[in-house]
Amino acid sequence: MDMELIPAPLRADDRGRCGFVLDPSTTIAAAPGTATTERWLRTTLGAAFGLPLAPGTDTTPRAIVLRTDETLAPEGYRLTTRPDESVVITGGSPAGVFWGAQTLRQLLGPEAFRRAPVGDATTTGFGSADIEDAPRFGWRGLMLDVARHFMPKDDVLRYLDLLAAHKLNVFHFHLSDDQGWRVEIKRYPRLTEVGAWRARTKYGHRASELWDETPHGGYYTQDDIREIVAYAAARHIRVVPEIDVPGHSQAAISAYPELGNTDVVDTAALTVWDNWGVTPNVLAPTDHVLRFYEGVFEELLGLFPPETSPFVHIGGDECPKDQWRQSPTAQARIKELGLADEDELQSWFIRHFDTWLTARGRRLIGWDEILEGGLAPGAAVSSWRGYAGGIAAAEAGHDVVMCPEQQVYLDHRQHGGPDEPMPIGYVRTLEDVYRFEPVPPALSEEAARHVLGTQGNVWSEVMQNRSRVDYQVFPRLAALAEVAWSALPAPAERDFAGFERRMNAHYARLDALGVGYRPPSGPLPWQKRPGILGRPIEGAPPNV
């Protein structure tokens, strides 16, 4: 039975029951543990159809009945219709109930994705349904870079709604980089007073000669962060905050010059970086820097509670070692610790925060460079440079999130034509993403169990605003959501034509949500950026 659902459920069929009717008499019967979904249904479907959705009981006709059943998979659910025109959503946990509610919304048509009723119809519904579903992976995510281009709080909340609509449950929040620091840290106010703002911005790829001379910046207050985290938690989404160390730290060094390698460069002259790429200015391996960042992470842990944020991302990628090689302070630390080289010095830096976070009940996760020089036992890896880092980490017993840049960097262009705005990287079409496989066949069965799941990464150097992010992320995020959730066959055997057919229904949902996706026919006139230099890479990406 094709109900045009995305992601595709495990099983969906019609057993001849009556359908579900949503009208002014419809109630919600919420069992204990389902209150977040009850509230969500009332605010979304209630607004979309102008209905009260009053509290009811599971014996009331035309009810939405919410239950839990621990015999189901934790995020699994069953959605069935009853002869009395009710629908019953049973989840293996409160999260399972919520994902079942996402399916209910899709079944009710694109009008269910609007914020107010359209037309005069007060009754809607669908035919009989019997759906059993559960996700393939427990980590189904999106990483959003708000450091290169700041995304206001309301846009972040909107993206959490978009993740929820696709049954994605991890929001990786990239909060600091060379080009901006985006979270208020009360003990270090200059991080946002100075580090959150840059004087101008390179327009296009770093080889572009164009500049936007408008000062750019912004940050989230601690209450903004608490609101974002609570909003995510109500949608059963975990938030992974990222503060990048020891590289990608020029914004922090510009605010507090003593964090840099002061014996090599005049760090007091540094500003928040206005260009793209990798800056040589990295943190100094000193006790002062360790104490400073312990203070940062201490405040972060208070903002991101363990229930919502068991993992804390410390970056660890693209850390040039030139300043450390030239720094007497860094060289003295290498000698003092008995380390072999600068790579081991970075490993020491990462291990320090692994120990620190572990002692506070959290788990460290970092980009795959943290494998260089040895990795602490409990740490997890985001494999971005390809599959290789993830394979090495999983075979060594570390948990892995597969997000190879050649496959699921959503800032990479979607088409090889000349109209793609500021084209970056390899061509990754909707079909390419749909045929992405997070578990490499080379992995042993035991190592494969360490693949927590997958996420798409969205780096925002050439995305100045929400509409540009929408264009890059959608519709490909829908394909990635199905890869992460559904039990799909091997990549070559996947039914992309069937997925495209279901996407035709899904585009109407995205339209109702106001998502500025890339149309299958190509960019609309206002989505193009003619003449703005990008960095396209030709040919198929290597499988590395």
Side-chain angles (χ1 to χ4, degrees):
M1 180 181 182
D2 189 351
M3 298 178 177
E4 299 180 320
L5 299 174
I6 289 180
L10 211 50
R11 183 184 64 77
D13 57 34
D14 178 351
R15 294 191 175 173
R17 292 189 179 89
C18 297
F20 168 65
V21 174
L22 182 71
D23 68 10
S25 70
T26 302
T27 59
I28 300 179
T34 66
T36 56
T37 301
E38 178 188 19
R39 282 194 296 272
W40 181 85
L41 284 168
R42 196 164 280 126
T43 55
T44 54
L45 297 188
F49 295 108
L51 300 174
L53 298 177
T57 68
D58 64 3
T59 58
T60 309
R62 293 190 179 180
I64 301 172
V65 180
L66 308 177
R67 302 170 176 164
T68 57
D69 178 352
E70 292 181 0
T71 65
L72 298 178
E75 288 189 276
Y77 67 89
R78 281 196 68 181
L79 185 152
T80 56
T81 52
R82 296 194 312 205
D84 65 357
E85 297 179 328
S86 293
V87 64
V88 181
I89 299 172
T90 307
S93 68
V97 177
F98 185 71
W99 305 131
Q102 301 303 320
T103 297
L104 172 64
R105 189 188 195 188
Q106 290 196 15
L107 291 170
L108 288 169
E111 294 80 9
F113 292 81
R114 296 194 176 274
R115 296 189 186 184
V118 294
D120 298 325
T122 56
T123 302
T124 188
F126 52 88
S128 62
D130 191 339
I131 299 170
E132 283 191 29
D133 204 5
R136 179 184 179 193
F137 292 110
W139 186 298
R140 310 179 302 278
L142 180 78
M143 187 229 66
L144 190 58
D145 165 22
V146 296
R148 272 51 176 265
H149 278 100
F150 179 65
M151 184 172 273
K153 180 197 70 177
D154 282 357
D155 290 344
V156 174
L157 299 178
R158 172 180 176 266
Y159 256 84
L160 290 171
D161 280 330
L162 292 172
L163 293 188
H166 293 82
K167 299 187 175 75
L168 296 168
N169 67 346
V170 175
F171 178 59
H172 176 169
F173 205 8
H174 185 80
L175 288 165
S176 76
D177 219 295
D178 300 306
Q179 296 87 357
W181 184 282
R182 303 290 177 229
V183 56
E184 177 189 25
I185 303 296
K186 290 188 182 293
R187 73 188 71 187
Y188 306 128
R190 286 177 59 83
L191 285 172
T192 44
E193 289 170 2
V194 173
W197 310 93
R198 60 177 181 261
R200 63 177 188 168
T201 298
K202 174 71 68 158
Y203 193 46
H205 179 252
R206 58 181 175 269
S208 168
E209 296 180 357
L210 301 176
W211 294 87
D212 181 344
E213 298 292 343
T214 309
H216 178 86
Y219 65 92
Y220 309 102
T221 67
Q222 294 203 350
D223 279 348
D224 290 339
I225 294 290
R226 291 184 183 99
E227 180 183 357
I228 289 166
V229 169
Y231 200 84
R235 286 148 185 78
H236 300 276
I237 294 171
R238 285 175 285 157
V239 183
V240 180
E242 180 183 356
I243 297 293
D244 218 327
V245 296
H248 287 289
S249 299
Q250 185 164 323
I253 296 168
S254 73
Y256 292 92
E258 67 274 17
L259 298 176
N261 294 284
T262 55
D263 54 353
V264 178
V265 292
D266 178 12
T267 56
L270 294 177
T271 60
V272 177
W273 208 26
D274 58 13
N275 212 328
W276 314 127
V278 179
T279 170
N281 297 299
V282 302
L283 298 174
T286 64
D287 289 344
H288 173 76
V289 169
L290 297 181
R291 299 294 89 76
F292 182 98
Y293 275 86
E294 286 170 5
V296 169
F297 284 118
E298 196 172 292
E299 288 196 27
L300 274 185
L301 296 191
L303 299 172
F304 295 91
E307 314 82 67
T308 307
S309 303
F311 286 90
V312 174
H313 208 292
I314 50 74
D317 62 315
E318 297 179 325
C319 178
K321 310 296 193 300
D322 295 343
Q323 290 184 358
W324 287 356
R325 292 187 187 99
Q326 300 165 26
S327 163
T329 302
Q331 293 303 311
R333 173 120 294 183
I334 289 173
K335 187 175 180 182
E336 169 203 337
L337 296 169
L339 304 176
D341 54 21
E342 291 77 16
D343 282 346
E344 285 197 7
L345 184 62
Q346 177 169 345
S347 179
W348 164 81
F349 199 102
I350 299 299
R351 280 172 177 266
H352 175 86
F353 286 102
D354 181 79
T355 303
W356 191 91
L357 288 166
T358 300
R360 288 153 183 81
R362 306 300 179 97
R363 290 186 65 189
L364 178 144
I365 185 167
W367 303 111
D368 53 59
E369 285 97 330
I370 68 173
L371 289 163
E372 297 164 4
L375 186 56
V381 169
S382 303
S383 188
W384 77 273
R385 291 181 294 180
Y387 286 108
I391 291 171
E395 294 286 5
H398 295 286
D399 287 340
V400 176
V401 176
M402 284 293 187
C403 49
E405 64 172 328
Q406 301 85 354
Q407 312 293 334
V408 290
Y409 266 33
L410 300 182
D411 43 299
H412 283 201
R413 59 195 172 132
Q414 305 183 64
H415 191 275
D419 290 334
E420 293 306 302
M422 302 187 206
I424 299 294
Y426 298 102
V427 173
R428 291 286 86 191
T429 64
L430 184 66
E431 182 172 0
D432 290 330
V433 175
Y434 191 66
R435 297 193 190 280
F436 166 61
E437 173 49 51
V439 180
L443 272 187
S444 68
E445 190 177 331
E446 184 179 348
R449 285 197 286 269
H450 284 289
V451 178
L452 300 175
T454 185
Q455 65 183 37
N457 292 343
V458 184
W459 301 103
S460 65
E461 286 94 337
V462 297
M463 298 180 221
Q464 306 88 347
N465 52 43
R466 183 177 95 177
S467 64
R468 275 289 287 123
V469 174
D470 276 6
Y471 179 89
Q472 291 300 132
V473 171
F474 289 98
R476 293 181 296 182
L477 190 67
L480 185 65
E482 184 146 314
V483 167
W485 178 279
S486 305
L488 298 177
E493 298 164 19
R494 292 177 187 170
D495 180 11
F496 180 67
F499 176 76
E500 274 191 309
R501 187 179 64 251
R502 287 181 286 121
M503 277 303 297
N504 287 331
H506 200 64
Y507 286 125
R509 299 171 191 137
L510 296 178
D511 286 334
L513 286 167
V515 176
Y517 58 86
R518 182 192 189 277
S521 57
L524 298 165
W526 57 88
Q527 293 174 323
K528 301 174 185 178
R529 298 290 187 277
I532 309 301
L533 193 66
R535 187 180 63 92
I537 305 173
E538 299 307 328
N543 189 10
V544 294

